[in-house]
Amino acid sequence: MHQKPDGDAMGSTLGLYHFLNKSGHTCTVISPTNWASFLNWMPDCKKVIDYEAQPAKADELIADADWIFCLDFNILSRTKRMEEKLKSAKGERILIDHHQEPDTAMFAYGISDVNKSSTAEMVYDFIVESGNAGKIDATIGECLYAGVMTDTGSFHHNTSARVFKIVAIMKEAGLDDTRIQELVLNSQPDKYLKLLGHCLHNRMELVPELKFGLI
């Protein structure tokens, strides 16, 4: 995943991780940097290796890997200090991403599809199109739902009928979407609320005739 991973980067990567493990593969997730604490609830997030904290271990895993899935970024520089290790790795790099201008020469397989809401949606497609839709369980669903939810601003933008159909399928697999909304959106530390209060009270300028506010 890319440095300073967001909900889609962590959710799509862990969703794929659980699917591959369930399919009999041995997988490790590596993040180029640390991540926000609101992502720690995700299943097996605590097993993710922070490259900056454990570079030697991560370098060994990258060098030994047969396949390297690159999720939610399409140019290796977005992995910060991991870039050179990824370039020199023997394993083939597979791209799953939804951003513009991919550096396609760096990847053996994969796609960067800007028409998708999120990389999590693309991981869902990867699982289904490989004939493994039946392996999507509540654990995989939680990870992928978090990715779709965060990258669409809680379904306020970049959505489609298909996105809601995917969520419905994950609900049928046992997804507790309300719990994830609470964990991601309603579990902020007190300092966040104090900062928000300060900005609203002291830093907001209103232009009533334009129905406009600026912080």
Side-chain angles (χ1 to χ4, degrees):
M1 65 189 87
H2 58 72
Q3 61 178 315
K4 295 297 179 183
D6 55 8
D8 188 30
M10 186 67 79
S12 60
T13 307
L14 282 173
L16 179 64
Y17 161 85
H18 285 290
F19 164 67
L20 292 175
N21 275 341
K22 200 171 183 180
S23 301
H25 300 283
T26 302
C27 311
T28 306
V29 178
I30 303 174
S31 173
T33 62
N34 61 3
W35 51 88
S37 60
F38 76 85
L39 300 175
N40 284 336
W41 63 270
M42 288 191 185
D44 281 351
C45 186
K46 288 181 169 49
K47 293 182 180 179
V48 176
I49 293 176
D50 175 353
Y51 186 88
E52 291 185 333
Q54 297 177 281
K57 181 177 181 179
D59 284 346
E60 183 179 354
L61 288 164
I62 292 170
D64 290 343
D66 296 314
W67 301 91
I68 301 172
F69 284 87
C70 301
L71 273 66
D72 208 35
F73 69 92
N74 60 24
I75 184 168
L76 296 186
S77 60
R78 290 208 67 199
T79 62
K80 208 172 179 182
R81 290 170 55 200
M82 286 173 57
E83 179 179 4
E84 294 306 316
K85 296 298 181 181
L86 291 173
K87 283 182 178 178
S88 61
K90 67 176 178 63
E92 293 195 284
R93 293 179 293 273
I94 304 165
L95 174 65
I96 304 179
D97 176 67
H98 68 128
H99 298 98
Q100 296 179 350
E101 300 180 359
D103 184 6
T104 53
M106 287 290 101
F107 304 97
Y109 303 99
I111 190 171
S112 192
D113 188 344
V114 298
N115 295 310
K116 299 296 183 179
S117 67
S118 55
T119 300
E121 180 184 351
M122 297 184 68
V123 171
Y124 173 87
D125 292 341
F126 177 86
I127 296 171
V128 171
E129 291 171 11
S130 67
N132 289 287
K135 290 184 179 179
I136 297 176
D137 55 17
T139 298
I140 294 171
E142 283 186 354
C143 298
L144 298 184
Y145 176 80
V148 173
M149 183 192 75
T150 53
D151 249 28
T152 59
S154 291
F155 307 100
H156 288 142
H157 56 79
N158 202 28
T159 59
S160 64
R162 185 173 185 276
V163 168
F164 289 102
K165 288 177 182 176
I166 290 171
V167 172
I169 291 169
M170 291 192 289
K171 282 280 289 183
E172 291 173 349
L175 167 69
D176 183 352
D177 55 307
T178 302
R179 171 176 168 270
I180 295 171
Q181 292 269 358
E182 289 294 317
L183 288 167
V184 174
L185 301 176
N186 299 329
S187 300
Q188 301 291 350
D190 61 328
K191 64 181 180 181
Y192 171 84
L193 295 176
K194 291 177 181 177
L195 175 62
L196 177 61
H198 169 73
C199 291
L200 292 172
H201 185 68
N202 300 309
R203 297 297 183 184
M204 185 163 64
E205 302 174 28
L206 297 176
V207 185
E209 62 271 22
L210 298 178
K211 297 182 179 179
F212 178 78
L214 173 66
I215 296 177

